[in-house]
């Protein structure tokens, strides 16, 4: 049986997760990458090194984050948050966001850990998705 | 340590998986959904009921499929295939594709199973992604 999730249920699914698939669009079309994220107070926080997804989101801020919990082909749920990419640039705001992010997923790659020690380092891109709409489906 | 996968390695990762995240674009921006798929002879096969993703891909055939294998935050790999949506419409081609798909993921929802019994049913949309480019990253 397939049923649509309410906005509250979809947000709960996203809040319970830590890995989602970020969708964005560049000049060639859609681009999807797995990211660690944190849903806090209705906004989605994450960070990244410079690269294709950051270039894409800076050019076209329309993004989505898809999160699922898949038990098997007949029992799964998936939610998607649609919103806008917003880079967090003020040093104090960066520190606050990074502290939130680190409390949620302390494991980082060595490169990221080095950057995090100095949240002011220009290479460390901290961003949020300002969520505009959330939908979801449950199968099972 | 982060390393780029070769095309062959990225294709192997996709071939080994069964669930990927399909990215497409509609008038509102990017859209990402989990799908079952089969990589066969360099093309990606899947099926769907009518809905938002099919409408999006019929309008803008640029799509991607992202597949990952995540052990933990420090040990994961992810590959992405970029290509074009192509609906499989000829009855004989639909039967061949559906047989391949069913051999890979026999579990389907009751609604899908009913449709599959008659691959000619108009509601059953069978499609492939004609892969143009594959990339991937390994962390760990």
């Amino acid at each position: 049986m397939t049923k649509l999730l309410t906005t509250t249920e979809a947000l709960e699914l996203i809040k319970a997760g830590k890995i989602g698939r970020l969708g964005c669009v560049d000049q060639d079309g859609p681009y999807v990458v797995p990211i660690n994220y944190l849903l806090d107070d209705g906004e989605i926080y994450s960070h990244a090194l410079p690269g294709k997804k950051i270039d894409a989101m800076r050019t076209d801020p329309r993004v989505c984050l898809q999160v699922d919990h898949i038990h098997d082909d007949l029992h799964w749920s998936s939610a998607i948050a649609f919103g806008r990419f917003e880079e967090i640039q003020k040093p104090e705001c960066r520190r606050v966001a990074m502290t939130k992010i680190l409390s949620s997923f302390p494991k980082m790659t060595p490169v990221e850990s080095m950057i995090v020690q100095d949240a002011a380092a220009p290479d460390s891109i901290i961003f949020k998705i300002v969520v505009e709409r959330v939908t979801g489906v449950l199968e099972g």
Side-chain angles (χ1 to χ4, degrees), chain A:
Chain A
M1 200 185 72
T2 305
K3 92 169 185 77
L4 295 180
L5 300 181
T6 63
T7 299
T8 305
E9 289 168 337
L11 276 172
E12 277 167 6
L13 196 156
I14 295 172
K15 195 165 179 63
K18 289 193 173 187
I19 297 170
R21 277 78 188 181
L22 176 78
C24 53
V25 187
D26 72 6
Q27 72 280 2
D28 298 322
Y31 183 55
V32 179
V33 280
I35 62 164
N36 276 123
Y37 72 91
L38 166 71
L39 177 72
D40 182 68
D41 203 17
E43 294 186 332
I44 291 164
Y45 291 84
S46 192
H47 66 102
L49 297 178
K52 185 174 163 75
K53 68 173 175 287
I54 294 294
D55 292 345
M57 294 191 294
R58 281 177 173 163
T59 306
D60 184 343
R62 299 173 305 166
V63 297
C64 66
L65 183 78
Q66 182 268 331
V67 177
D68 50 47
H69 181 72
I70 298 175
H71 180 67
D72 63 36
D73 291 1
L74 293 180
H75 301 86
W76 54 266
S77 50
S78 174
I80 182 164
F82 300 92
R84 300 214 149 240
F85 167 77
E86 212 174 274
E87 212 163 321
I88 299 174
Q89 290 176 308
K90 287 188 185 165
E92 182 51 28
C93 299
R94 286 167 58 87
R95 269 181 218 106
V96 170
M98 208 61 212
T99 304
K100 283 181 188 175
I101 290 169
L102 278 173
S103 70
S104 178
F105 38 94
K107 282 187 188 174
M108 308 190 99
T109 67
V111 174
E112 287 174 318
S113 300
M114 280 171 59
I115 289 167
V116 167
Q117 287 165 27
D118 176 10
D123 274 346
S124 158
I125 293 141
I126 303 169
F127 64 93
K128 65 179 174 182
I129 301 171
V130 181
V131 177
E132 294 169 349
R133 197 163 54 89
V134 185
T135 65
V137 177
L138 179 142
E139 174 79 40

